[in-house]
RNA sequence: GGGCCUAUAGCUCAGCUGGUUAGAGCGCACGCCUGAUAAGCGUGAGGUCAGUAGUUCAAGUCUACUUAGGCCCA
């Protein structure tokens, strides 16, 4: 016996039960252990930080990340899924600073690095519990008991190994990096911090004259930061842009052609036009002498780069390599020197005339000085948005800092090659956003001047020698003051010195820690402490078969993974990646706490249940598109899909319990099944094929849609059509067939859907399958994914049934137009379709539409008229611009005559203003327009016509159907059980009473009545209006 | 400021290499059906396919620009 099924849709409670069941019985672990060790499917989990709360977007990533491995596990692969935590980095430090009331690096150092780092370590677990509960609730299966943690000594040791390997390949070097820098706090800011502090400011910019060497002319260059002019080393033009040499007043200038009139006014004459490329390497005289002698490399000439625009300014940009990302890059490209006449406090240095003056204060002084020297062309006011420190409101400066880089430019070709091996979903990201990014890859600045992170494993000697340590053992071997239980963090490592292999001197570690993106990109090997342990395991699980994160990770994790795997192994770190769109609110706006439109994920899960939310994300739209999330949308899918599935299951259980039916006692007798059952099994097996193919190819939405369509047809066609087969008292062959077919459909379907909606499918499985078969697997998630039985797939059958559905739909429409309700039988229906159905299907149509006769007819002329339209796709290229006239002529043709001509000659002649034109059959589209006496409907190539005149016999039958329906309604309203037998009485209408009498045998049988009498008034009563006849019915 | 993505019915989304009446689901109105169903079926109202210009016999679809939103980078 099955457990009785609640028809309530209270999914959340049932999900909690399943969650508990999984936990108590280690279902997740079993799903891994039961599979063959050498048959692996690898998934890498991108680590979240547990010092931030999960938000609704994490539901999307988790449900996608969860579903694919569940599917592969059922396909027979061992699918190891290790959870991970990202624990290092500036966000953690900032959180702790806030907590401790600290502000800036000075205060941190005063507070003490050791206690600070300790706090950081605690802080990262702030929301761990919440994350775990969240993961359990959405049904995210990953090994949470033994996760990888990026701050773990073993993890760091693996990262060190990687860094040392890179160091030994000579791909790790020191250089300058331009960072947004707060001169007051003495610290660079992350882009996230910079973004918080943009403000519109009005400043004076400068257009400066740079004297061309050996030529009586000047370059006009524009800058918004005059304080960088003393550090000028080069100019830059766009090689593609046209420049002019123009005479204006006493001066001759070079500047961009399109900006000349804006800058010089109307009064100038063009002496020469030339592309920027021809200005390359032209030398000029330095504005200031400060740098002369300080630099050995050749400087003070014009460079080319396409970052220069002609949006404003002069089209010539002044370059100070210490103060701008582009400046720095271009100067490196041209091998120009480097000077930085601004100190760490943001003041100009001794070398200049304004020593100790803060940069922003120096601006007017420098402008004045240039004006006096006749080098200032103009100093226009300029309004722009400029970043300020979010802490202290000081204007930020872009400032070169000593920094460590990984030479990604050296492995660019390899990166591109490896990226080509990745299956990006959608492919456009791999080619576009990501492909372009690595096409222009820059060296990776990996050092951070902070405290809480993986320490950079480079030791430096006074003699200049540098050494990279690759393991704890190596450190201990080279050091005489390394504690036994050394923790690989600041400040503990800062005091550990090693002996210089070159000079024997003391080597100290450099102060930097590394970018935490390097940590997360190292997880393929660091999660297993490779190469110190688990060598074989790593090799088996690299590269990953599948990863998935949101689109913002393109230059984050997606990049760091492939960057590191390319550097170390020259392989991509993953084979398939689904890139997910962001979750937005109802109006397509970004969700944020400040806007108050953020959806609390736990609340949403509580309200709708995990399956409903999962389903929404699978079904709603392609995963990479932005998802608008709101309650109503989730409810829709829940009702339509989960509700329908549940009800179909409840239907089966209801009747199987009445009949004490157990599928294990029977065999499915395929050969002798009725067509309806064969159709369902064919649909089912086609579905298996398509779901398997789609999920194997990571096509999520397509899978969801096909599952949804199947449930719809299962419930609203198969079950609805087959309902009566379950009603009879005896266990007939037909009833067994129906049970077996429905059981097979349901029990197979839940396996197909299990990866997507793991809770409801297991709930159903526990009752439906485990109560049918004592030897069934413990959980649906331990089952093998179904394989299609090709012998059951009958495409012809599915095609026929499809036509039945279309005809039925048209028939209903025709009834509607004729205003004849469904209970009123109709005598005749004619159908024209591309192919003819045999008697069985016609019977379904007849029954479904309550029509006595259904016949196929090719010649429908009696009931219809034709109209003609050009078949544009074919006729368009042939007819060209005549096509509009053809359309007009066709519309005015006599349909019947034209049809006849076309049928007879195979062609149709029409006359146009330009002469006669001959159309063949393929050139025109013929459609049906009119009706006469019959109600007709048409769609695609199917036409139906129903007879609208009714005979007295048909009308009487209509009454019988009405009466039965009313009695059934009364049974239901008055709480009779399905099997109860009743007595029926009728009163108040002779016509109805006589109809009842004439048809009492049929009616009694259907409504389970022992007797039908008139006059004797017993039981529940209700007055009805049946086709205009008032009558009172009684049931008892 | 630069690159990329998105914009189609009140809402959520389809719309293949351009083909003329732009579809589906939800919601709404009316009607039908229903002894599993919180469902189902039909009809109707509801669209300047974000805007402008262009290519073409033909543009939701291709091109350019603009607007709004998003992501990444400055």
């Amino acid at each position: 016996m099955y457990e009785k099924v609640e028809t309530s849709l209270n999914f959340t409670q049932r999900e909690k039960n399943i969650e508990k069941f999984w936990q108590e019985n280690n279902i997740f672990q079993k799903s891994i252990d039961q599979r063959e060790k050498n048959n692996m499917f690898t998934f890498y989990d991108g680590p979240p930080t547990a010092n931030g709360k999960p938000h609704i977007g994490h539901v999307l990533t988790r449900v996608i990340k969860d579903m694919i491995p569940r599917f592969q596990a059922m396909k027979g692969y061992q699918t190891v899924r290790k959870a991970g935590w990202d624990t290092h980095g500036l966000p953690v430090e900032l959180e702790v600073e806030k907590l401790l009331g600290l502000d800036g690096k000075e205060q941190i150092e005063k507070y003490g690095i050791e206690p600070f780092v300790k706090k950081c370590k605690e802080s990262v677990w702030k929301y761990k519990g919440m994350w775990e509960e969240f993961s359990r609730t959405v049904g995210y299966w990953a090994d949470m008991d033994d996760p990888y943690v990026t701050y773990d000594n073993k993890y760091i040791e693996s990262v060190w190994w990687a860094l040392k390997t890179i160091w030994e390949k000579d791909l790790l070097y020191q250089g300058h990096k331009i960072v947004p820098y707060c001169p007051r706090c003495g610290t660079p800011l992350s882009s996230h911090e910079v973004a918080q502090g943009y403000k519109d400011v009005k400043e004076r910019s400068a257009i400066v004259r740079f004297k061309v060497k050996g030529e009586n002319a000047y370059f006009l260059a524009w800058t918004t930061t005059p304080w960088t002019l003393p550090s000028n080393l080069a100019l830059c033009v766009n090689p593609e842009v046209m420049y002019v040499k123009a005479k204006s007043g006493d001066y001759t200038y070079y500047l961009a052609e399109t900006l000349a009139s804006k800058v010089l006014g109307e009064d100038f004459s063009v002496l020469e036009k030339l592309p920027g490329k021809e200005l390359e390497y032209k030398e000029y005289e330095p504005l200031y002498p400060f740098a002369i002698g300080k630099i050995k490399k050749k400087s003070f000439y014009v460079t080319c780069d396409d970052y220069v625009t002609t949006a404003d300014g002069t089209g010539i940009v002044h370059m100070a390599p210490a103060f701008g990302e582009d400046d720095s890059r271009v100067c490196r490209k041209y091998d120009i020197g480097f000077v930085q006449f601004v100190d760490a406090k943001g003041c100009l240095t001794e070398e200049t005339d304004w020593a100790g003056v803060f940069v922003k204060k120096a601006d007017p002084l420098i402008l004045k000085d240039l004006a006096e020297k006749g080098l200032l062309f103009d100093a226009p006011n300029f309004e722009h948005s400029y970043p300020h420190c979010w802490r202290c409101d000081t204007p930020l400066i872009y400032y070169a800092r000593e920094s460590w880089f990984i030479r990604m430019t050296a492995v660019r070709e390899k990166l591109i090659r490896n990226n080509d091996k990745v299956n990006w979903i959608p492919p456009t990201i791999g080619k576009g956003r990501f492909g372009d990014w690595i096409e222009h890859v820059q060296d990776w600045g990996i050092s951070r001047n902070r405290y809480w992170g993986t320490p950079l494993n480079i030791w430096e000697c006074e003699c200049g020698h540098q050494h990279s340590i690759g393991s704890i053992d190596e450190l201990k071997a080279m050091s005489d003051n390394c504690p036994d239980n050394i923790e690989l963090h600041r400040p503990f490592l800062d005091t550990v010195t090693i002996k210089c292999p070159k000079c024997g001197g003391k080597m100290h570690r450099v102060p930097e820690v590394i970018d935490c993106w390097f940590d997360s990109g190292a997880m393929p090997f660091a999660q297993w402490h490779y190469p110190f342990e688990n060598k074989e395991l790593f090799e088996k699980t690299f590269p990953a078969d599948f990863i998935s994160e949101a689109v913002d990770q393109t230059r984050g994790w997606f990049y760091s993974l492939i960057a590191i795997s390319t550097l170390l192994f020259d392989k991509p770190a993953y084979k398939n990646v689904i890139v997910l769109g962001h979750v937005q609110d109802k109006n397509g706006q970004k969700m944020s706490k400040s806007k108050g439109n953020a959806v609390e994920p736990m609340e949403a899960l509580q309200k709708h249940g995990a399956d409903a939310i999962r389903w929404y994300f699978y079904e709603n739209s392609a995963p990479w598109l932005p998802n608008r999330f709101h309650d109503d949308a989730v409810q829709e899918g829940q009702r339509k899909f989960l509700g329908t599935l549940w009800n179909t299951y409840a239907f089966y259980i209801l009747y199987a319990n009445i009949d004490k039916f157990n599928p294990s006692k029977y065999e499915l007798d395929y050969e002798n099944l009725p067509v309806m059952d064969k159709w369902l099994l064919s649909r089912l097996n086609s579905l298996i094929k398509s779901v398997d193919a789609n999920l194997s190819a990571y096509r999520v939405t397509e899978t969801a849609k096909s599952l949804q369509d199947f449930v719809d047809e299962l419930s609203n066609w198969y079950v609805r059509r087959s309902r009566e087969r379950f009603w009879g008292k005896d266990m007939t062959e037909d009833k067994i067939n129906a049970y077996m077919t429905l059981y097979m459909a349901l029990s197979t379907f839940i396996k197909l859907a299990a990866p997507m909606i793991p809770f409801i499918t297991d709930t159903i499985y526990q009752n439906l399958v485990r109560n049918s078969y004592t030897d069934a697997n413990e959980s649906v998630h331990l089952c093998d994914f179904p394989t299609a039985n090709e012998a059951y797939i009958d495409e012809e059958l599915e095609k026929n049934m499809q036509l039945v559905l279309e005809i039925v739909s048209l028939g209903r429409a025709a009834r509607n137009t004729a205003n004849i309700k469904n209970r009123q039988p109709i005598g005749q229906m004619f159908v024209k379709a591309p192919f003819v159905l045999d008697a069985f299907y016609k019977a379904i149509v007849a029954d479904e539409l309550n029509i006595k006769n259904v016949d196929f007819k090719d010649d429908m002329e009696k009931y219809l008229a034709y109209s003609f339209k050009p078949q544009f796709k074919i006729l368009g290229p042939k007819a060209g611009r005549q096509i509009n006239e053809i359309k007009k002529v066709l519309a005015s043709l006599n349909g019947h005559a034209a049809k006849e001509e076309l049928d007879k000659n195979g062609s149709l002649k029409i006359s146009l203003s330009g002469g006669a034109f001959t159309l063949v059959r393929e050139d025109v589209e013929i459609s049906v327009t009119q009706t006469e006496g019959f109600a007709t409907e048409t769609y695609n190539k199917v036409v139906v016509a129903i007879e609208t005149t009714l005979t007295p016999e048909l009308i009487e039958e209509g009454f019988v159907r009405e009466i039965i329906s009313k009695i059934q309604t009364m049974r239901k309203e008055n709480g009779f059980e399905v099997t109860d037998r009743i007595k029926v009485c009728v009163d108040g209408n002779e016509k109805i009473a006589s109809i009842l009498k004439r048809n009492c045998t049929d009616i009694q049988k259907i409504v389970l009545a022992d007797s039908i009498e008139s006059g004797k008034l017993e039981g529940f009563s209700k007055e009805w209006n049946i086709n205009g006849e008032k009558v009172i019915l009684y049931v008892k």
Side-chain angles (χ1 to χ4, degrees), chain A residues 710-728:
Chain A
F710 181 82
V711 166
D712 182 57
E713 283 178 38
L714 171 67
S715 169
N716 293 316
W717 187 246
Y718 178 80
V719 174
R720 193 163 58 77
R721 291 292 317 158
S722 307
R723 228 172 348 189
E724 292 175 32
R725 299 165 66 191
F726 297 91
W727 289 349

Short mmCIF file of all heavy atoms in Angstrom, two decimals, chain A residues 710-728:
data_model
loop_
_atom_site.label_atom_id
_atom_site.label_comp_id
_atom_site.label_asym_id
_atom_site.label_seq_id
_atom_site.Cartn_x
_atom_site.Cartn_y
_atom_site.Cartn_z
N PHE A 710 6.11 17.59 -21.08
CA PHE A 710 5.71 16.22 -20.86
C PHE A 710 4.70 16.12 -19.73
O PHE A 710 3.68 15.43 -19.85
CB PHE A 710 6.93 15.34 -20.55
CG PHE A 710 6.56 13.90 -20.34
CD1 PHE A 710 6.36 13.06 -21.42
CD2 PHE A 710 6.37 13.40 -19.05
CE1 PHE A 710 5.99 11.74 -21.23
CE2 PHE A 710 5.99 12.08 -18.86
CZ PHE A 710 5.81 11.24 -19.95
N VAL A 711 4.98 16.78 -18.63
CA VAL A 711 4.05 16.71 -17.50
C VAL A 711 2.69 17.23 -17.92
O VAL A 711 1.65 16.67 -17.56
CB VAL A 711 4.60 17.52 -16.30
CG1 VAL A 711 3.51 17.74 -15.26
CG2 VAL A 711 5.76 16.78 -15.68
N ASP A 712 2.69 18.28 -18.72
CA ASP A 712 1.44 18.84 -19.18
C ASP A 712 0.66 17.80 -19.99
O ASP A 712 -0.52 17.59 -19.77
CB ASP A 712 1.73 20.08 -20.04
CG ASP A 712 0.45 20.74 -20.51
OD1 ASP A 712 -0.35 21.09 -19.63
OD2 ASP A 712 0.27 20.87 -21.73
N GLU A 713 1.32 17.13 -20.91
CA GLU A 713 0.62 16.15 -21.74
C GLU A 713 0.24 14.90 -20.96
O GLU A 713 -0.81 14.31 -21.18
CB GLU A 713 1.47 15.78 -22.97
CG GLU A 713 1.41 16.87 -24.01
CD GLU A 713 2.28 16.59 -25.22
OE1 GLU A 713 2.36 15.42 -25.65
OE2 GLU A 713 2.89 17.54 -25.74
N LEU A 714 1.12 14.53 -20.04
CA LEU A 714 0.81 13.39 -19.19
C LEU A 714 -0.48 13.64 -18.42
O LEU A 714 -1.39 12.80 -18.40
CB LEU A 714 1.97 13.16 -18.19
CG LEU A 714 1.74 12.14 -17.08
CD1 LEU A 714 1.62 10.74 -17.66
CD2 LEU A 714 2.87 12.19 -16.06
N SER A 715 -0.57 14.80 -17.81
CA SER A 715 -1.72 15.08 -16.97
C SER A 715 -2.95 15.43 -17.78
O SER A 715 -4.01 14.85 -17.59
CB SER A 715 -1.37 16.23 -16.02
OG SER A 715 -2.53 16.68 -15.38
N ASN A 716 -2.78 16.35 -18.71
CA ASN A 716 -3.97 16.91 -19.35
C ASN A 716 -4.36 16.21 -20.64
O ASN A 716 -5.35 16.59 -21.26
CB ASN A 716 -3.75 18.40 -19.60
CG ASN A 716 -3.69 19.16 -18.29
OD1 ASN A 716 -4.50 18.91 -17.39
ND2 ASN A 716 -2.71 20.03 -18.17
N TRP A 717 -3.62 15.24 -21.00
CA TRP A 717 -4.06 14.44 -22.13
C TRP A 717 -4.15 12.98 -21.73
O TRP A 717 -5.21 12.40 -21.69
CB TRP A 717 -3.14 14.64 -23.34
CG TRP A 717 -3.65 13.97 -24.59
CD1 TRP A 717 -3.07 12.94 -25.25
CD2 TRP A 717 -4.85 14.27 -25.31
NE1 TRP A 717 -3.81 12.57 -26.35
CE2 TRP A 717 -4.93 13.37 -26.41
CE3 TRP A 717 -5.89 15.19 -25.12
CZ2 TRP A 717 -5.99 13.38 -27.32
CZ3 TRP A 717 -6.94 15.19 -26.05
CH2 TRP A 717 -6.98 14.31 -27.13
N TYR A 718 -3.02 12.39 -21.34
CA TYR A 718 -3.05 10.95 -21.06
C TYR A 718 -3.99 10.63 -19.89
O TYR A 718 -4.89 9.80 -20.01
CB TYR A 718 -1.65 10.40 -20.77
CG TYR A 718 -1.70 8.94 -20.42
CD1 TYR A 718 -1.81 7.97 -21.42
CD2 TYR A 718 -1.73 8.52 -19.09
CE1 TYR A 718 -1.92 6.63 -21.12
CE2 TYR A 718 -1.83 7.17 -18.77
CZ TYR A 718 -1.93 6.23 -19.79
OH TYR A 718 -2.05 4.90 -19.49
N VAL A 719 -3.76 11.28 -18.76
CA VAL A 719 -4.58 10.94 -17.59
C VAL A 719 -6.04 11.34 -17.82
O VAL A 719 -6.95 10.58 -17.52
CB VAL A 719 -4.02 11.59 -16.31
CG1 VAL A 719 -4.96 11.36 -15.13
CG2 VAL A 719 -2.65 11.02 -15.99
N ARG A 720 -6.23 12.50 -18.38
CA ARG A 720 -7.61 12.93 -18.59
C ARG A 720 -8.34 11.98 -19.54
O ARG A 720 -9.47 11.59 -19.30
CB ARG A 720 -7.62 14.35 -19.17
CG ARG A 720 -8.99 15.00 -19.12
CD ARG A 720 -8.91 16.50 -19.30
NE ARG A 720 -8.27 16.87 -20.55
CZ ARG A 720 -8.88 16.82 -21.74
NH1 ARG A 720 -10.12 16.40 -21.84
NH2 ARG A 720 -8.24 17.18 -22.84
N ARG A 721 -7.65 11.58 -20.61
CA ARG A 721 -8.27 10.65 -21.56
C ARG A 721 -8.45 9.26 -20.95
O ARG A 721 -9.31 8.50 -21.37
CB ARG A 721 -7.41 10.51 -22.82
CG ARG A 721 -7.35 11.71 -23.71
CD ARG A 721 -8.64 12.03 -24.39
NE ARG A 721 -9.34 10.87 -24.94
CZ ARG A 721 -10.63 10.85 -25.19
NH1 ARG A 721 -11.35 11.91 -24.95
NH2 ARG A 721 -11.20 9.78 -25.69
N SER A 722 -7.57 8.89 -20.03
CA SER A 722 -7.56 7.51 -19.55
C SER A 722 -8.28 7.33 -18.22
O SER A 722 -8.35 6.23 -17.70
CB SER A 722 -6.12 7.02 -19.40
OG SER A 722 -5.41 7.24 -20.58
N ARG A 723 -8.76 8.42 -17.68
CA ARG A 723 -9.33 8.40 -16.34
C ARG A 723 -10.32 7.25 -16.12
O ARG A 723 -10.24 6.53 -15.14
CB ARG A 723 -10.05 9.71 -16.10
CG ARG A 723 -9.70 10.33 -14.82
CD ARG A 723 -10.26 11.71 -14.68
NE ARG A 723 -10.79 12.27 -15.91
CZ ARG A 723 -11.15 13.54 -16.01
NH1 ARG A 723 -11.03 14.32 -14.96
NH2 ARG A 723 -11.62 14.01 -17.12
N GLU A 724 -11.21 7.11 -17.10
CA GLU A 724 -12.28 6.12 -16.90
C GLU A 724 -11.75 4.71 -16.74
O GLU A 724 -12.39 3.88 -16.12
CB GLU A 724 -13.25 6.16 -18.08
CG GLU A 724 -14.02 7.44 -18.11
CD GLU A 724 -14.90 7.52 -19.35
OE1 GLU A 724 -15.37 6.48 -19.81
OE2 GLU A 724 -15.08 8.65 -19.85
N ARG A 725 -10.58 4.47 -17.29
CA ARG A 725 -10.03 3.12 -17.20
C ARG A 725 -9.71 2.74 -15.76
O ARG A 725 -9.58 1.57 -15.43
CB ARG A 725 -8.77 3.01 -18.07
CG ARG A 725 -9.05 3.27 -19.55
CD ARG A 725 -7.80 3.53 -20.33
NE ARG A 725 -6.94 2.37 -20.41
CZ ARG A 725 -5.68 2.42 -20.86
NH1 ARG A 725 -5.16 3.58 -21.24
NH2 ARG A 725 -4.95 1.33 -20.91
N PHE A 726 -9.55 3.75 -14.90
CA PHE A 726 -9.23 3.46 -13.50
C PHE A 726 -10.48 3.32 -12.64
O PHE A 726 -10.42 3.02 -11.47
CB PHE A 726 -8.36 4.58 -12.91
CG PHE A 726 -7.02 4.71 -13.59
CD1 PHE A 726 -6.85 5.54 -14.68
CD2 PHE A 726 -5.94 3.97 -13.11
CE1 PHE A 726 -5.61 5.65 -15.29
CE2 PHE A 726 -4.70 4.09 -13.72
CZ PHE A 726 -4.53 4.93 -14.81
N TRP A 727 -11.65 3.61 -13.24
CA TRP A 727 -12.85 3.69 -12.42
C TRP A 727 -13.53 2.34 -12.20
O TRP A 727 -14.19 2.15 -11.20
CB TRP A 727 -13.85 4.65 -13.07
CG TRP A 727 -13.44 6.09 -12.99
CD1 TRP A 727 -12.41 6.57 -12.24
CD2 TRP A 727 -14.03 7.20 -13.65
NE1 TRP A 727 -12.31 7.92 -12.40
CE2 TRP A 727 -13.29 8.35 -13.28
CE3 TRP A 727 -15.10 7.35 -14.54
CZ2 TRP A 727 -13.61 9.62 -13.75
CZ3 TRP A 727 -15.41 8.62 -15.00
CH2 TRP A 727 -14.66 9.75 -14.60
N GLY A 728 -13.38 1.43 -13.14
CA GLY A 728 -14.12 0.18 -13.05
C GLY A 728 -13.82 -0.59 -11.75
O GLY A 728 -12.84 -0.34 -11.08
#
